[in-house]
């Protein structure tokens, strides 16, 4: 492969072609991290189950709508960077993905080190499975889970804020707990109807 071809494969440019959406997603994600920022998927247009158009925006894109006067650490500061990708119907028998538009403008500093740090501290799939198991089945709190994870993954620094957020994903919500309580109550009432010897006392 010559140097021009290698450069093309590593760069993002208008009319760049990808075999499918998964490859396109991964490339844009990796490419943006190498430049010092993250991307998120924004608007999408579908025909049935097929994605026809997708817009990728900078993680600092859009603008956060504040509902209070309190200060927020939101990263959404209306960054203009975005990419439009398309999978047209016409003359596209392979369902290839084409980059149609790139607005390469940021209103913030790019920081490769910060992005790398964020990626390195992120829990991998195996760690998330451990956290889910420890939360659901072992009913372990954050302190005990941290000791377990630090012992099993000594090379991975565990940050409390990230661990709390991960545990929260797997904790039952108040709504689900309320639903469980109602189901148990209904079941007890049904047993009482079937067998007069049942005595149900509610506090």
């Amino acid at each position: 492969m010559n140097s021009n071809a290698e450069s093309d494969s590593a760069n993002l440019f208008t009319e760049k072609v990808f075999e499918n959406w998964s490859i396109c997603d991964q490339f844009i994600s990796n490419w943006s991290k190498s430049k010092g920022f993250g991307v998120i998927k924004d608007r999408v247009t579908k025909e049935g189950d097929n994605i026809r158009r997708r817009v990728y925006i900078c993680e600092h894109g859009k603008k956060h709508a504040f509902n209070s006067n309190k200060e927020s650490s939101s990263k959404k500061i209306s960054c203009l960077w975005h990419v439009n990708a398309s999978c047209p119907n016409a003359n596209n028998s392979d369902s290839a993905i084409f980059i149609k538009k790139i607005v390469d403008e940021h209103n913030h500093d790019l920081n490769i080190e910060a992005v790398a740090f964020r990626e390195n501290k992120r829990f991998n799939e195996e760690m998330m499975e451990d956290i889910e198991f420890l939360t659901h089945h072992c009913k372990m709190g954050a302190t005990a889970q941290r000791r377990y994870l630090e012992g099993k993954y000594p090379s991975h620094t565990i940050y409390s804020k990230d661990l709390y957020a991960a545990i929260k994903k797997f904790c039952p919500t108040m709504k689900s707990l309320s639903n469980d309580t109602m189901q148990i109550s209904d079941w007890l009432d049904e047993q009482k109807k079937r067998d007069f010897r049942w005595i149900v006392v509610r506090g």
Side-chain angles (χ1 to χ4, degrees), residues 124-159:
N124 60 35
E125 185 176 345
E126 182 181 0
M127 296 176 78
M128 289 299 290
E129 289 175 355
D130 284 342
I131 293 170
E132 180 178 14
F133 181 83
L134 296 173
T135 303
H136 270 301
H137 301 284
C138 302
K139 312 300 181 186
M140 288 173 62
T143 301
Q145 289 201 34
R146 181 169 186 162
R147 291 197 192 103
Y148 174 89
L149 293 170
E150 286 176 340
K152 186 174 180 181
Y153 307 97
S155 63
H156 192 112
T157 304
I158 308 297
Y159 293 89

Side-chain angles (χ1 to χ4, degrees), residues 38-51:
V39 297
I40 55 178
K41 298 173 189 175
D42 191 33
R43 297 185 303 275
V44 63
T45 302
K46 288 186 173 182
E47 287 182 359
D49 294 330
N50 298 317
I51 297 175

Side-chain angles (χ1 to χ4, degrees), residues 73-187:
S73 60
S74 171
K75 296 186 298 182
K76 304 206 180 316
I77 53 175
S78 301
C79 179
L80 296 175
W81 187 96
H82 67 273
V83 168
N84 295 351
S86 174
C87 179
N89 255 329
N91 302 317
N92 188 24
S93 59
D94 295 330
S95 297
I97 314 302
F98 299 86
I99 300 300
K100 304 306 293 182
K101 180 181 179 181
I102 301 174
V103 176
D104 194 15
E105 297 179 31
H106 294 276
N107 62 354
H108 57 90
D109 293 333
L110 305 183
N111 192 327
I112 296 175
E113 290 77 14
V115 172
F117 170 76
R118 188 174 62 205
E119 289 299 307
N120 289 335
K121 76 187 185 76
R122 180 174 295 170
F123 296 133
N124 60 35
E125 185 176 345
E126 182 181 0
M127 296 176 78
M128 289 299 290
E129 289 175 355
D130 284 342
I131 293 170
E132 180 178 14
F133 181 83
L134 296 173
T135 303
H136 270 301
H137 301 284
C138 302
K139 312 300 181 186
M140 288 173 62
T143 301
Q145 289 201 34
R146 181 169 186 162
R147 291 197 192 103
Y148 174 89
L149 293 170
E150 286 176 340
K152 186 174 180 181
Y153 307 97
S155 63
H156 192 112
T157 304
I158 308 297
Y159 293 89
S160 296
K161 183 177 180 181
D162 298 329
L163 180 56
Y164 293 146
I167 291 174
K168 188 176 180 180
K169 289 182 179 180
F170 303 119
C171 282
T173 63
M174 292 304 296
K175 183 176 180 180
S176 66
L177 287 174
S178 177
N179 289 339
D180 289 344
T181 302
M182 290 179 62
Q183 290 175 7
I184 293 172
S185 179
D186 292 343
W187 181 83

